[in-house]
């Protein structure tokens, strides 16, 4: 959501990735630990990065085959309780839960997720915002690479500014995607928000 609320025309066949970028080959934790084993400083760095993942297979939910399980999206605004979307249930109902946002406010988006089984490379969060079916904004945030952990991990975007003014007020639909360098779609969901003059 940009302050200018500029209308961005759709691009046919638009790629989410740089055409010249080649993601690194997938490697298991065992392969990563075995590489450059003679380099003591690199070995210690990898041990610190991987932590418990190097000594045991980390499974958060054995019934879920995914490497990344996205749990929750939160809209963070100073001096207000987080507005949260539970992404662990029926995501088809999320569009009915419309966030109300005061025009012109500064906000961040936090995504809580779990990585299990293997390291995931180049996570990214892509958000496309539409008004009356017309794309008005696109955000792509590089989240990074994460080892498997039993604990929930999270990523918070930099501050964004909601558009303001009479023309900016109204309801917007959002398409969100949590993906990675290998173009795996870990979760894709839709939600909505309404920009008003005030919180009420």
């Amino acid at each position: 959501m940009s302050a200018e609320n500029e209308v961005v025309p759709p691009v046919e066949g638009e790629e989410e990735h740089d055409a010249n970028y080649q993601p690194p080959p997938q490697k298991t934790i065992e392969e990563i630990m075995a590489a450059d084993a003679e380099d003591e400083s690199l070995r210690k760095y990898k041990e610190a990065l991987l932590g418990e993942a190097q000594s045991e297979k980390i499974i958060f939910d054995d019934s879920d085959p995914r490497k990344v399980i996205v749990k929750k999206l939160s809209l963070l605004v100073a001096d207000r309780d987080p507005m949260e979307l539970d992404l662990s249930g029926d995501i088809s109902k999320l569009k009915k839960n419309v966030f109300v946002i005061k025009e012109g406010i500064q906000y961040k988006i936090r995504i809580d997720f779990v990585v299990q089984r293997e390291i995931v490379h180049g996570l990214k969060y892509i958000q496309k915002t539409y008004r009356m079916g017309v794309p008005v904004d696109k955000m792509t945030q590089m989240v990074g690479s994460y080892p498997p952990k039993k604990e929930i991990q999270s990523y918070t975007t930099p501050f964004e500014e909601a558009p303001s003014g009479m023309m900016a007020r109204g309801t917007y639909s959002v398409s969100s995607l949590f993906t990675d360098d290998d173009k795996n779609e870990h979760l894709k969901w839709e939600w909505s928000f309404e920009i008003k003059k005030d919180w009420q």
Side-chain angles (χ1 to χ4, degrees):
M1 291 177 279
S2 60
E4 299 295 326
N5 200 33
E6 178 184 1
V7 173
V8 181
V11 179
E12 191 68 32
E14 181 182 22
E15 283 291 326
E16 304 295 357
H17 306 272
D18 186 330
N20 297 319
Y21 173 71
Q22 293 295 324
Q26 286 278 19
K27 289 187 177 181
T28 65
I29 292 169
E30 292 78 12
E31 289 171 332
I32 290 171
M33 291 306 298
D36 304 307
E38 70 282 355
D39 187 328
E40 182 70 12
S41 61
L42 186 56
R43 183 183 63 80
K44 288 181 178 178
Y45 169 75
K46 288 190 285 189
E47 286 176 357
L49 175 67
L50 294 172
E52 62 182 336
Q54 61 179 312
S55 59
E56 60 176 305
K57 196 79 167 178
I58 304 298
I59 306 291
F60 184 85
D61 183 352
D62 200 31
S63 66
D64 195 323
R66 294 177 296 173
K67 286 198 297 183
V68 179
I69 304 170
V70 188
K71 305 292 286 183
K72 184 168 61 177
L73 177 144
S74 303
L75 203 66
L76 309 176
V77 180
D79 302 322
R80 294 188 69 85
D81 292 335
M83 293 177 274
E84 299 178 346
L85 281 180
D86 181 1
L87 302 174
S88 61
D90 184 357
I91 59 174
S92 66
K93 298 178 181 178
L94 296 178
K95 289 188 78 172
K96 298 176 182 177
N97 183 16
V98 180
F99 288 153
V100 173
I101 301 174
K102 180 181 177 181
E103 63 181 5
I105 55 102
Q106 297 279 324
Y107 68 93
K108 295 180 180 182
I109 291 174
R110 187 185 73 222
I111 304 202
D112 296 337
F113 57 94
V114 173
V115 178
Q116 61 178 5
R117 294 187 171 85
E118 296 291 346
I119 293 171
V120 62
H121 298 282
L123 278 174
K124 56 174 64 73
Y125 173 63
I126 300 168
Q127 175 179 297
K128 295 179 181 180
T129 306
Y130 302 83
R131 188 173 186 190
M132 294 183 289
V134 178
V136 294
D137 190 59
K138 179 181 175 184
M139 172 204 299
T140 300
Q141 293 289 335
M142 297 303 299
V143 176
S145 299
Y146 288 80
K149 283 187 178 180
K150 290 180 179 176
E151 299 80 24
I152 292 177
Q153 305 185 68
S154 65
Y155 171 78
T156 303
T157 69
F159 273 113
E160 294 277 329
E161 182 177 327
S164 59
M166 187 182 299
M167 297 298 293
R169 294 171 202 153
T171 302
Y172 296 75
S173 61
V174 182
S175 175
S176 290
L177 171 64
F178 212 51
T179 183
D180 62 26
D181 276 346
D182 297 309
K183 300 184 180 180
N184 296 311
E185 290 192 359
H186 300 294
L187 190 67
K188 189 173 187 178
W189 69 99
E190 295 184 353
W191 52 288
S192 302
F193 65 89
E194 183 178 0
I195 293 180
K196 293 188 174 183
K197 189 173 182 178
D198 211 332
W199 291 108
Q200 299 300 322

